[in-house]
Amino acid sequence: MSLFWMTPDGEKKSYEELMDFLSRPGKLPYVLRQPNGRELISSLLAHFVRGNSSVLLDHGMQESEVASLGLQPDDLARDIESGDIEFENFDHAWNKLENSPDARVYIYTSGTTGRPKKVGHSWKTLARAVRRSSDHKEDVWALAYHAAHFAGLQVMLQAIGNQNPIIDLFHATSAQSRELMKTQGITHISATPAFYRRLLLDIETPVESVRQVTCGGEKYDAALVPLLEEAFPNAAIRNVYASTEAGSLFSARNDVFKPGERVKDLVRVSPEGELWIHHSLLGDFSNVDFADGWYRTGDMVEQNPDGSFRFVSRKQDFVNVGGYKVNPLEVEDLVREVPGVVDCVVRARSNSVLGNILEAFVQPSPKSITNDLEKDILTFLRSELQPYKVPRVIRFVDRLESSHTGKRKRR
């Protein structure tokens, strides 16, 4: 059978080995928190084909964080006896996955607005965006997301549904990623804008095998698009909106999403500009009240007369500067337009007079002269923004911090 998984160090597993595991997995842990993405997704699939429910956890969570979720020690130590299943072929196994209506995988949201919410996804909501057809048989997918998070699951399921190779770039260095893209003929990459900006530093010549580049997990980075077009000249560039609560919902060629016919009546924007999603599009929640039928996403958007919308920021990302609400993402977008800037993160910094001021952490290109670059940044921002939106402090760093899921660290 064909290649299933490849690590940055060159270790390979085949789809034949995946099928053997799905047929005879032995005991399966109820709580899946393997650091190895291949083992994690294999165990999850083995649960689903047997109609078992399971819990998915980020292996990087501290024990205190796990305890705060309400999981008991018995849950963490619990194994489920799993009998053998004989599959005629891969399509037979996939059919078993699609016909396990009672099985759920329980995933916890990030908890940025309070205690993490427990979301139960059936196979229907988990694999909603998976497209299986002969058109996808030659795809080669890069995994550039954390395997235990929803975006990573989407990449892996799309690849597995078409028996495509998965090349693990999430644990690779930029140099390894560059080499693997060329030697393995990667055709599809889905990643955060932060991942792409790091990756592009090590791409010296265009990668012609890549046919699709998808951005997600963070606000769309328009200044990144021409750089991606240069690095991947044969690729269509897409932007997706997805969440742990709802799964994959929208896709666009830029930063403007227009809900399709299937969901247009199940999405609305509140008077304050917050995106709301009807409960019928979501997984099963254990601690959320849907008395009015709508889920408040915490995503602030700008809506157009035709019903389309553009993501602005997370609700909690806004910073109060001297009584004014400032969106740091707006400032970051402008900083990235300045020649010589690789990437930027803007954060709040406590101030005794204004409550907060803005502090910009800027990663310059290796050839930039930081003294001139600071002046160029401030001159440009002052020409584009009101004074209270201009960072009072600019710090140059060799590399921006990322969370363990690969997103820019904003706190």
Side-chain angles (χ1 to χ4, degrees), residues 184-203:
Q184 299 306 311
I186 288 173
T187 62
H188 289 65
I189 306 177
S190 183
T192 63
F195 177 91
Y196 286 122
R197 285 191 172 272
R198 292 191 298 272
L199 179 65
L200 291 175
L201 289 174
D202 277 292
I203 294 182

Side-chain angles (χ1 to χ4, degrees), residues 211-366:
R211 302 196 307 268
Q212 181 173 300
V213 169
T214 305
C215 296
E218 294 179 314
K219 183 178 181 293
Y220 187 69
D221 185 349
L224 182 61
V225 173
L227 303 178
L228 292 172
E229 290 174 335
E230 182 179 355
F232 308 110
N234 298 322
I237 298 173
R238 305 287 295 175
N239 185 25
V240 296
Y241 176 96
S243 68
T244 302
E245 298 89 344
S248 295
L249 285 180
F250 315 119
S251 176
R253 294 188 181 277
N254 49 37
D255 63 345
V256 179
F257 295 103
K258 187 168 184 179
E261 288 296 320
R262 182 176 62 86
V263 298
K264 69 177 184 178
D265 295 328
L266 303 176
V267 176
R268 67 169 58 166
V269 178
S270 75
E272 296 76 27
E274 184 178 7
L275 184 67
W276 292 1
I277 297 174
H278 194 262
H279 71 88
S280 61
L281 291 177
L282 306 175
D284 306 324
F285 280 82
S286 61
N287 57 342
V288 175
D289 181 12
F290 290 115
D292 59 359
W294 295 90
Y295 175 66
R296 280 72 168 160
T297 65
D299 291 329
M300 305 304 292
V301 301
E302 292 176 351
Q303 189 170 35
N304 300 314
D306 65 355
S308 64
F309 63 87
R310 183 177 70 87
F311 177 77
V312 174
S313 178
R314 290 289 295 167
K315 196 172 185 178
Q316 75 269 15
D317 284 341
F318 282 88
V319 176
N320 191 318
V321 178
Y324 296 98
K325 291 288 187 182
V326 180
N327 178 7
L329 277 64
E330 175 190 9
V331 183
E332 292 174 6
D333 284 345
L334 289 170
V335 174
R336 293 189 196 105
E337 292 185 24
V338 178
V341 172
V342 172
D343 206 353
C344 170
V345 167
V346 174
R347 300 173 187 162
R349 176 175 171 178
S350 259
N351 180 270
S352 58
V353 177
L354 297 174
N356 292 295
I357 58 172
L358 297 183
E359 184 174 23
F361 294 82
V362 177
Q363 181 182 354
S365 66

Side-chain angles (χ1 to χ4, degrees), residues 169-184:
L169 298 191
F170 186 78
H171 296 99
T173 65
S174 293
Q176 285 176 320
S177 296
R178 176 189 63 195
E179 189 65 18
L180 287 166
M181 281 191 295
K182 293 185 176 181
T183 60
Q184 299 306 311

Side-chain angles (χ1 to χ4, degrees), residues 114-125:
R115 181 178 176 179
K117 296 181 287 292
K118 182 180 178 181
V119 187
H121 280 286
S122 66
W123 185 259
K124 180 180 178 180
T125 57

Side-chain angles (χ1 to χ4, degrees), residues 16-287:
E16 183 175 27
E17 289 171 295
L18 173 62
M19 291 292 290
D20 284 344
F21 178 81
L22 295 184
S23 299
R24 292 174 289 277
K27 291 183 178 180
L28 288 170
Y30 171 63
V31 177
L32 308 177
R33 57 188 308 202
Q34 298 98 317
N36 183 305
R38 175 185 57 79
E39 293 177 3
L40 185 145
I41 191 63
S42 299
S43 297
L44 179 62
L45 295 177
H47 273 304
F48 263 108
V49 294
R50 288 165 175 78
N52 297 337
S53 293
S54 59
V55 174
L56 188 63
L57 287 188
D58 183 337
H59 73 274
M61 294 182 75
Q62 301 298 317
E63 294 308 313
S64 59
E65 295 177 287
V66 174
S68 73
L69 302 177
L71 288 168
Q72 302 301 314
D74 287 349
D75 293 323
L76 299 176
R78 177 182 166 195
D79 287 329
I80 297 176
E81 291 286 349
S82 301
D84 293 352
I85 300 178
E86 292 299 327
F87 298 112
E88 297 173 12
N89 50 39
F90 182 85
D91 286 338
H92 180 207
W94 191 266
N95 186 61
K96 293 282 285 186
L97 292 168
E98 291 182 319
N99 289 280
S100 54
D102 297 328
R104 297 288 186 275
V105 57
Y106 294 98
I107 309 173
Y108 289 86
T109 63
S110 61
T112 52
T113 57
R115 181 178 176 179
K117 296 181 287 292
K118 182 180 178 181
V119 187
H121 280 286
S122 66
W123 185 259
K124 180 180 178 180
T125 57
L126 190 68
R128 176 192 290 141
V130 172
R131 300 292 179 263
R132 299 183 72 217
S133 78
S134 57
D135 293 339
H136 295 292
K137 288 301 181 186
E138 302 304 317
D139 295 351
V140 179
W141 276 89
L143 177 64
Y145 288 113
H146 194 295
H149 289 246
F150 204 91
L153 291 175
Q154 296 298 287
V155 167
M156 292 185 291
L157 293 180
Q158 175 61 36
I160 293 169
N162 293 283
Q163 298 179 66
N164 301 145
I166 299 172
I167 314 300
D168 182 3
L169 298 191
F170 186 78
H171 296 99
T173 65
S174 293
Q176 285 176 320
S177 296
R178 176 189 63 195
E179 189 65 18
L180 287 166
M181 281 191 295
K182 293 185 176 181
T183 60
Q184 299 306 311
I186 288 173
T187 62
H188 289 65
I189 306 177
S190 183
T192 63
F195 177 91
Y196 286 122
R197 285 191 172 272
R198 292 191 298 272
L199 179 65
L200 291 175
L201 289 174
D202 277 292
I203 294 182
E204 299 167 349
T205 57
V207 183
E208 298 187 353
S209 65
V210 177
R211 302 196 307 268
Q212 181 173 300
V213 169
T214 305
C215 296
E218 294 179 314
K219 183 178 181 293
Y220 187 69
D221 185 349
L224 182 61
V225 173
L227 303 178
L228 292 172
E229 290 174 335
E230 182 179 355
F232 308 110
N234 298 322
I237 298 173
R238 305 287 295 175
N239 185 25
V240 296
Y241 176 96
S243 68
T244 302
E245 298 89 344
S248 295
L249 285 180
F250 315 119
S251 176
R253 294 188 181 277
N254 49 37
D255 63 345
V256 179
F257 295 103
K258 187 168 184 179
E261 288 296 320
R262 182 176 62 86
V263 298
K264 69 177 184 178
D265 295 328
L266 303 176
V267 176
R268 67 169 58 166
V269 178
S270 75
E272 296 76 27
E274 184 178 7
L275 184 67
W276 292 1
I277 297 174
H278 194 262
H279 71 88
S280 61
L281 291 177
L282 306 175
D284 306 324
F285 280 82
S286 61
N287 57 342

